[in-house]
Amino acid sequence: MNIQQLMLKSSFIPLFFTLSGKSKMPKVAALCTTPNFYAQVTPSVRENASTRSSTTISPASAYIHLPFCRKRCHYCDFPIVALGSSSYQTDDDPRVRNYVELLCREISATKSEFGADRPLETVFFGGGTPSLVPPRLVSSILDVLRLKFGLAKDAEISIEMDPGTFDAKKMEDLMKLDVNRVSLGVQAFQEELLKACGRAHGVHEVYEAIEIIKSCGLKNWSMDLISSLPHQAAEMWEESLRLTIEAQPTHVSVYDLQVEEDTKFGMLYKPGEFPLPSETDSAGFYRMASRALAEGGYNHYEISSYCKDGFECKHNSTYWKNSPFYGFGLGAASYLGGLRFSRPRKLKEYTNYVHNLEKGMVDCHGDNDVDAKDMAMDIVMLSLRTSSGLDLQSFGKAYGGHLVHSLCRSYQPYIKSGHVVCLDEQRRALTVDECNDLLLSEDDNLRELRHIRLGDPDGFLLSNELISLAFRVISP
């Protein structure tokens, strides 16, 4: 799973992240081939915890969308190209070759107005099933990125891989290209759940994939799991968590199923109705994951992400810090010049987009006319997804101490209940009485109150309400 799919509308959203009312994801504009289109769109986010606008920061991350899958899973509404369930060797598949050529043309034609002094520090190949793409074609993409933007010597280069789509040779060939991180799409350890989801792999392929990764000596690898699947019982979820911990990936992502209309699940099921677990059961799955993974030595550093010490996903952290990034390929989203925008989701329209980009007919850059309330709301929303939380001092410098004071006061009932945690400069958790005393003060600076974060797991479970409350304070 990659967080690009969160930046757009995806079938999976980390638990209870869907917001209502004033709540929103960062703005993503549809692409247009006329330069003046973007003048009509209000950009949204700037870099978190900084008074510098993201329009002045050179992007250091690139997301590459490789849309190929053997078949479409029952929950999937991502932009993909289904090659056929028997597809494994894709070296000579013209659909793959032609797409990669088109993708490389897009990268080459992209105008960089941010200078070339900062090479890419992270590259993430997402999909789709990128492990279906031959390593030689992955190499050609990396060559174009290196030529266009440069690649840092120690760059984190991640690729999503599905069980049953790679062997040891392919893994070794990718590692020779400096791919140093793998995200393995396991989803479940029960054969019946994998079949019910329309997954192209079974449990046997899961164990084979884990063994291949370990035998090749790759240390930095993640495992994706999905909760709240149809007919998924608590015992099944507990087993998946236990087997994940036994496999010892250095990173685990846990997603809650979000049923989308235009999917097979969307036609078969209604949220909250059997055979889907209830909201209470889904919350129980989340608490179970938080507890089991903590006991297994994983840090819960983001609402849906857990890792061993030092193995946070650097690429995904780009999103949570509101840093700018490039996105390339079918349906991919970028954040440049203060504007988030996405490419077409259909291959024909994407082909036309690349053609127009090469002719200079596409403007992919925002300007400095950034709405302060939008920026503040996006910073709060993304910061509260992480264990680091919201840096109140930097937020106050950018938007005023009075807003910080009002925001913290609105959270007082949740501070008392433990859903919101206040931290001092040393990240010591303040007591409820200490927080109340600070908030009774007329001093808007609140120097002793440095961060607020959501409690784990119950604060994260209540994130919808807490983020919506913050939005009402920022934009009454």
Side-chain angles (χ1 to χ4, degrees):
M1 183 67 54
N2 66 78
I3 309 302
Q4 270 275 329
Q5 295 154 350
L6 263 178
M7 308 313 285
L8 302 172
K9 184 180 180 182
S10 68
S11 292
F12 291 114
I13 299 177
L15 196 60
F16 303 130
F17 183 60
T18 306
L19 307 178
S20 59
K22 282 181 175 283
S23 307
K24 60 181 179 61
M25 283 295 288
K27 294 180 180 177
V28 181
L31 264 180
C32 180
T33 57
T34 55
N36 61 0
F37 171 78
Y38 291 107
Q40 303 169 21
V41 180
T42 303
S44 55
V45 181
R46 67 173 163 188
E47 185 182 16
N48 186 21
S50 172
T51 56
R52 293 187 302 162
S53 169
S54 60
T55 58
T56 66
I57 302 170
S58 177
S61 297
Y63 170 80
I64 311 296
H65 191 69
L66 300 177
F68 304 103
C69 287
R70 288 179 288 185
K71 61 177 183 175
R72 183 178 288 277
C73 297
H74 298 342
Y75 49 70
C76 175
D77 74 340
F78 307 149
I80 71 162
V81 176
L83 300 175
S85 58
S86 62
S87 296
Y88 176 71
Q89 298 297 333
T90 56
D91 288 53
D92 298 318
D93 193 315
R95 293 169 294 180
V96 179
R97 291 200 317 270
N98 293 341
Y99 175 82
V100 170
E101 179 185 351
L102 188 64
L103 177 68
C104 290
R105 285 169 52 194
E106 183 197 354
I107 296 170
S108 297
T110 296
K111 295 180 181 178
S112 177
E113 300 176 0
F114 306 95
D117 57 330
R118 189 183 186 192
L120 296 176
E121 297 170 6
T122 74
V123 176
F124 195 107
F125 291 95
T129 308
S131 48
L132 286 172
V133 176
R136 64 180 178 80
L137 295 181
V138 174
S139 178
S140 67
I141 298 169
L142 287 171
D143 287 344
V144 174
L145 288 172
R146 190 176 288 108
L147 181 64
K148 182 72 179 184
F149 305 109
L151 281 176
K153 185 177 181 180
D154 58 348
E156 176 192 87
I157 302 178
S158 305
I159 189 167
E160 290 184 334
M161 307 182 81
D162 277 2
T165 64
F166 65 98
D167 53 18
K169 183 180 185 307
K170 179 176 278 189
M171 184 76 257
E172 290 169 354
D173 287 346
L174 289 169
M175 291 174 67
K176 289 176 183 176
L177 300 176
D178 294 327
V179 172
N180 50 27
R181 186 179 184 277
V182 162
S183 180
L184 187 66
V186 172
Q187 318 310 1
F189 278 87
Q190 294 76 36
E191 203 74 51
E192 60 268 38
L193 290 185
L194 292 173
K195 288 181 179 178
C197 289
R199 295 291 292 179
H201 71 265
V203 175
H204 176 70
E205 285 83 8
V206 169
Y207 286 111
E208 278 189 341
I210 292 171
E211 180 57 33
I212 290 169
I213 290 172
K214 290 185 173 182
S215 68
C216 290
L218 186 70
K219 303 298 183 185
N220 192 359
W221 67 286
S222 179
M223 189 181 292
D224 288 354
L225 297 176
I226 304 172
S227 63
S228 301
L229 293 169
H231 300 288
Q232 187 176 39
E235 294 78 15
M236 294 176 173
W237 183 236
E238 185 177 26
E239 180 183 47
S240 288
L241 290 168
R242 176 176 57 81
L243 293 173
T244 295
I245 293 168
E246 288 178 4
Q248 287 296 292
T250 50
H251 188 283
V252 180
S253 294
V254 175
Y255 299 95
D256 194 72
L257 178 67
Q258 182 80 9
V259 177
E260 300 289 349
E261 286 186 13
D262 298 325
T263 64
K264 188 169 183 178
F265 275 178
M267 293 183 284
L268 293 174
Y269 309 125
K270 291 184 178 180
E273 295 184 7
F274 184 82
L276 296 178
S278 66
E279 287 188 5
T280 300
D281 291 335
S282 294
F285 289 159
Y286 190 78
R287 291 189 179 97
M288 194 185 302
S290 179
R291 180 177 64 252
L293 291 168
E295 291 173 353
Y298 293 87
N299 304 317
H300 194 179
Y301 75 98
E302 188 270 331
I303 198 169
S304 62
S305 304
Y306 305 76
C307 71
K308 297 287 189 177
D309 288 343
F311 285 95
E312 295 85 353
C313 179
K314 295 178 182 177
H315 182 85
N316 287 346
S317 294
T318 296
Y319 305 134
W320 310 136
K321 294 176 181 178
N322 295 340
S323 298
F325 55 87
Y326 295 105
F328 299 108
L330 195 69
S334 292
Y335 171 42
L336 301 171
L339 175 69
R340 299 185 190 276
F341 57 92
S342 61
R343 284 125 189 91
R345 291 171 57 92
K346 301 292 186 181
L347 193 55
K348 182 177 179 180
E349 285 81 359
Y350 172 64
T351 302
N352 291 336
Y353 158 72
V354 174
H355 178 70
N356 288 328
L357 181 68
E358 291 175 320
K359 293 171 64 177
M361 297 172 61
V362 178
D363 180 7
C364 300
H365 302 284
D367 53 36
N368 290 305
D369 184 19
V370 184
D371 183 87
K373 287 183 179 179
D374 277 348
M375 288 192 298
M377 288 191 288
D378 287 340
I379 288 172
V380 169
M381 178 181 65
L382 295 175
S383 296
L384 291 183
R385 289 183 57 88
T386 70
S387 61
S388 298
L390 178 65
D391 185 331
L392 296 176
Q393 297 299 309
S394 294
F395 190 75
K397 288 179 181 178
Y399 304 107
H402 178 71
L403 181 57
V404 170
H405 207 270
S406 298
L407 181 62
C408 291
R409 281 190 171 181
S410 72
Y411 280 154
Q412 276 186 291
Y414 302 96
I415 294 170
K416 183 178 181 180
S417 65
H419 291 92
V420 175
V421 180
C422 298
L423 307 172
D424 65 13
E425 192 169 2
Q426 285 73 45
R427 298 198 66 83
R428 177 184 69 89
L430 301 175
T431 66
V432 174
D433 288 341
E434 286 176 319
C435 291
N436 287 338
D437 288 343
L438 289 171
L439 294 174
L440 285 173
S441 169
E442 296 301 321
D443 182 5
D444 283 343
N445 288 325
L446 296 176
R447 291 184 179 87
E448 296 177 44
L449 179 53
R450 185 59 188 263
H451 298 86
I452 56 169
R453 63 173 176 83
L454 302 187
D456 179 16
D458 288 339
F460 283 143
L461 284 169
L462 204 63
S463 59
N464 281 4
E465 182 175 340
L466 296 172
I467 293 171
S468 295
L469 177 58
F471 285 5
R472 291 193 293 272
V473 172
I474 295 168
S475 184

